[in-house]
């Protein structure tokens, strides 16, 4: 890391005044947190790789067959929606594997929305500072190999297969000793931790699957715990209020760790801060210790000024759309600063040119991703109301559509009504469909809710996704070749992944 040149950036006194105003505003917004904050330590300073895409199927028929065999074996296990709240099985697997997850430091990420994009940004920043990274995220957009990345790119199909074959005997050993077999997600988590140790990586960036305390990833003792915005999702398993959900997610905060906390509902913030006090963790909060000072829409993304733990970072270009991505960027920057000791061991900011280079390289497939022009087709994996609201705001800010058609395929266990209500103001019409997952909501059932939200004349039903895409593109083209027609495909990561394949990506 190197210090910024003295000539870089605006006058520091002006910067301090701007941030002081932001702090004052945030403090007024959350007065109920004063008592908790008095008991917690906060981070305060004394001063101011190539883009990864979604992999295609292996070109080698033998490798493709072998990968399909692995996928078929994994599919015989409990899916990601069937859970037994315990880390006993994954802990047993780590034990017989020799505790690979303890051979490298890690950054652990939980929250409701923004985890994968934030993980990708953290990965890009660490890689730009010449650290070898491992990233574990879920779910995947198109290929299961996306979930395990090394050096900023998904592992090859060959390496994925090899890793599975390496851990398989140990998985079977644990299966035989446990009441329940290891789940799909638990096996993948074991594979990721083993692959990172084998690489070896300098640091692992790990996204929880669901929750925190009993999530399979929570056998690491991460020095930096990141909590992206908490909202209502998976309420049948995590709780029905932000505070209840935060209680589960706070489980990733370990003794003496640093917690990087995005802006949260007051009750969720209270839970997270109490946890930090209990374990002696240090806290940095968006809007107080770090944040977004300015953002402007730019071609293909946005130009940001971020306040980090070590000072101000100006003219940072991010090739992703939306205010939520700027906030994700601020969280990612603070997490990496904390990893390097900024705000605790020293007050030096990260090298500004390296930070700019890293953020400019970030890609997040399936997140406001343009996959076609004339008409423009955008994919966004929003699958809950909070994500839908962010997507609706972003589509209005980043694109000038006069006739936007929605293609929505959602999972049956989601709050579909509120998701559709978030999109109602921006969709001229909506084509409801369903993806190939067993979790998909039936298209007719989804249509019944859509009619209540949009009115019958604005809803079209196409159970097959290819037909839904074709219908939406036709509707978007009705205003003519040079008009502002567009299509937004959303509602589920699976819907987005299948649409991405149909539209020739990957």
């Amino acid at each position: 890391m190197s210090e910024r040149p003295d000539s870089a950036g605006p006058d520091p006194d002006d910067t301090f005044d701007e941030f002081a105003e932001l702090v004052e505003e945030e403090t007024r917004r959350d007065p109920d947190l004063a008592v908790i904050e008095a008991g917690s330590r906060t981070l305060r300073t004394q001063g101011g790789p190539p883009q990864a895409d979604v992999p295609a199927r292996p070109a080698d028929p033998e490798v493709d067959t072998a990968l399909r065999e692995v996928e078929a074996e994994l599919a015989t296990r409990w899916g990601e929606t069937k859970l037994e709240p315990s880390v006993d099985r994954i802990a047993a697997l780590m034990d017989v594997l020799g505790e690979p997850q303890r051979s490298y430091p890690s950054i652990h990420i939980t929250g409701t929305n923004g985890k994968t994009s934030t993980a990708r940004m953290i990965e890009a920043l660490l890689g730009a500072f010449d650290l070898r990274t491992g990233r574990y995220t879920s779910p995947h957009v198109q290929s299961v190999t996306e979930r395990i990345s090394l050096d900023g790119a998904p592992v090859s199909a060959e390496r994925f297969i090899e890793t599975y074959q390496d851990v398989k005997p140990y998985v079977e050993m644990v299966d035989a000793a446990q009441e329940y077999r290891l789940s799909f997600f638990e096996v993948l988590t074991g594979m990721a931790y083993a692959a990172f140790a084998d690489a070896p990586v300098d640091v692992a960036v790990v996204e929880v699957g669901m929750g925190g305390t009993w999530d399979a990833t929570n056998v690491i003792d991460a020095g930096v715990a990141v909590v992206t915005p908490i909202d209502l999702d998976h309420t049948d398993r995590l709780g029905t209020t932000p505070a209840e959900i935060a209680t589960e997610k706070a489980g990733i905060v370990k003794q003496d760790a640093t917690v990087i906390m995005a802006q949260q509902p007051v009750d969720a913030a209270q839970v997270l801060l109490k946890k930090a006090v209990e374990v002696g963790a240090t806290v940095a909060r968006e809007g107080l210790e770090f944040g977004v000072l300015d953002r402007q829409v730019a071609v293909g993304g946005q130009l940001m000024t971020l306040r980090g733990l070590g000072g101000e970072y100006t003219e940072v270009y991010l090739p992703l759309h939306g205010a939520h991505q700027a906030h994700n960027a601020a969280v990612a920057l603070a997490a990496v600063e904390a990893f390097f000791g900024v705000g605790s061991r020293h007050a030096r900011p990260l090298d500004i040119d390296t930070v700019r280079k890293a953020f400019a390289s970030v890609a997040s497939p399936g997140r406001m991703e343009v996959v076609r022009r004339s008409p423009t087709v955008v994919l966004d994996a929003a699958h809950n109301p909070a994500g839908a609201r962010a997507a609706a705001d972003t589509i209005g800010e980043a694109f000038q559509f006069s006739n936007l058609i929605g293609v929505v395929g959602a999972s049956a266990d989601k709050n579909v009504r509120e998701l559709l209500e978030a999109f109602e103001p921006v969709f001229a019409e909506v084509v409801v469909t369903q993806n190939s997952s067993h979790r998909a909501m039936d298209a007719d059932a989804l249509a019944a809710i859509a009619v209540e939200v949009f009115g019958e004349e604005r809803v079209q039903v196409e159970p097959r996704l290819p037909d839904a895409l074709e219908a939406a593109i036709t509707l978007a083209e009705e205003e003519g070749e040079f008009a502002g027609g567009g299509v937004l495909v959303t509602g589920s990561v699976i819907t987005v992944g299948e649409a991405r394949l149909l539209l020739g990506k990957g």
Side-chain angles (χ1 to χ4, degrees), residues 250-261:
I252 74 164
V253 179
K254 305 298 172 59
Q255 191 74 36
D256 298 324
T258 298
V259 184
I260 304 300
M261 196 169 79

Side-chain angles (χ1 to χ4, degrees), residues 65 68 96 99 140 175 180 216 231 237 254 288 332 427-428:
T65 298
R68 291 184 188 278
V96 297
E99 304 291 346
H140 56 275
D175 284 344
Y180 304 106
D231 211 297
R237 298 178 178 87
K254 305 298 172 59
L288 290 170
F427 286 165

Side-chain angles (χ1 to χ4, degrees), residues 430-452:
V430 61
V431 181
V432 297
T433 188
Q434 64 190 73
N435 57 55
S436 63
S437 169
H438 67 280
R439 295 173 55 200
M441 176 174 277
D442 176 77
D444 289 331
L446 180 57
I449 300 172
V451 166
E452 294 177 5

Side-chain angles (χ1 to χ4, degrees), residues 166-475:
D166 285 345
V167 305
K168 183 178 177 180
Y170 302 96
V171 168
E172 292 173 345
M173 188 186 309
V174 173
D175 284 344
Q178 296 288 323
E179 181 179 1
Y180 304 106
R181 297 171 71 214
L182 287 153
S183 70
F184 169 85
F185 187 73
E186 287 169 333
V187 174
L188 281 177
T189 302
M191 289 172 59
Y193 289 162
F196 297 161
D198 185 60
V201 301
D202 297 314
V203 55
V205 183
V206 179
E207 173 190 337
V208 303
M210 185 187 301
T213 299
W214 44 259
D215 186 75
T217 62
N218 202 30
V219 289
I220 53 174
D221 292 316
V224 178
V226 176
V227 187
T228 66
I230 291 174
D231 211 297
L232 300 182
D233 198 10
H234 301 295
T235 54
D236 56 330
R237 298 178 178 87
L238 302 180
T240 57
T241 67
E244 291 177 351
I245 294 171
T247 300
E248 172 59 31
K249 293 182 182 294
I252 74 164
V253 179
K254 305 298 172 59
Q255 191 74 36
D256 298 324
T258 298
V259 184
I260 304 300
M261 196 169 79
Q263 287 192 351
Q264 304 290 349
V266 171
D267 56 347
Q270 290 174 329
V271 169
L272 294 168
L273 290 169
K274 285 179 180 176
K275 175 70 173 186
V277 172
E278 290 170 3
V279 300
T282 303
V283 179
R285 300 151 297 178
E286 183 183 7
L288 290 170
E289 285 73 44
F290 68 94
V292 179
L293 290 181
D294 184 59
R295 55 178 293 271
Q296 300 176 21
V297 177
V299 176
Q302 54 193 305
L303 194 64
M304 309 174 297
T305 298
L306 303 177
R307 169 70 179 190
L309 304 175
E312 184 175 330
Y313 298 80
T314 62
E315 298 181 353
V316 177
Y317 174 71
L318 179 68
L320 301 175
H321 298 289
H324 61 294
Q325 294 289 18
H327 289 287
N328 290 339
V331 169
L333 176 62
V336 173
E337 285 182 307
F339 181 80
F340 284 129
V342 179
S344 57
R345 297 194 299 272
H346 63 84
R348 299 187 306 275
L350 303 180
D351 178 68
I352 183 63
D353 290 331
T354 305
V355 169
R356 288 170 177 158
K357 178 182 177 182
F359 275 120
S361 74
V362 171
S364 196
R367 278 76 179 175
M368 280 295 151
E369 181 186 18
V370 177
V371 292
R372 172 183 164 148
R373 299 286 185 181
S374 297
T376 298
V377 178
V378 183
L379 307 180
D380 192 82
H383 57 275
N384 55 42
R389 288 190 292 270
D393 289 343
T394 300
I395 203 82
E397 173 187 270
F399 302 91
Q400 301 299 315
F401 293 129
S402 60
N403 182 40
L404 179 63
I405 310 301
V407 174
V408 179
S411 296
D413 59 345
K414 298 297 181 181
N415 186 342
V416 173
R417 180 178 297 277
E418 288 190 21
L419 182 144
L420 291 172
E421 287 173 347
F423 285 120
E424 190 279 330
V426 298
F427 286 165
E429 298 180 62
V430 61
V431 181
V432 297
T433 188
Q434 64 190 73
N435 57 55
S436 63
S437 169
H438 67 280
R439 295 173 55 200
M441 176 174 277
D442 176 77
D444 289 331
L446 180 57
I449 300 172
V451 166
E452 294 177 5
V453 174
F454 288 85
E456 188 173 356
E457 69 283 355
R458 294 169 62 193
V459 178
Q460 183 170 332
V461 186
E462 295 290 350
R464 296 181 64 254
L465 183 56
D467 297 336
L469 292 172
E470 183 177 353
I473 289 169
T474 299
L475 289 169

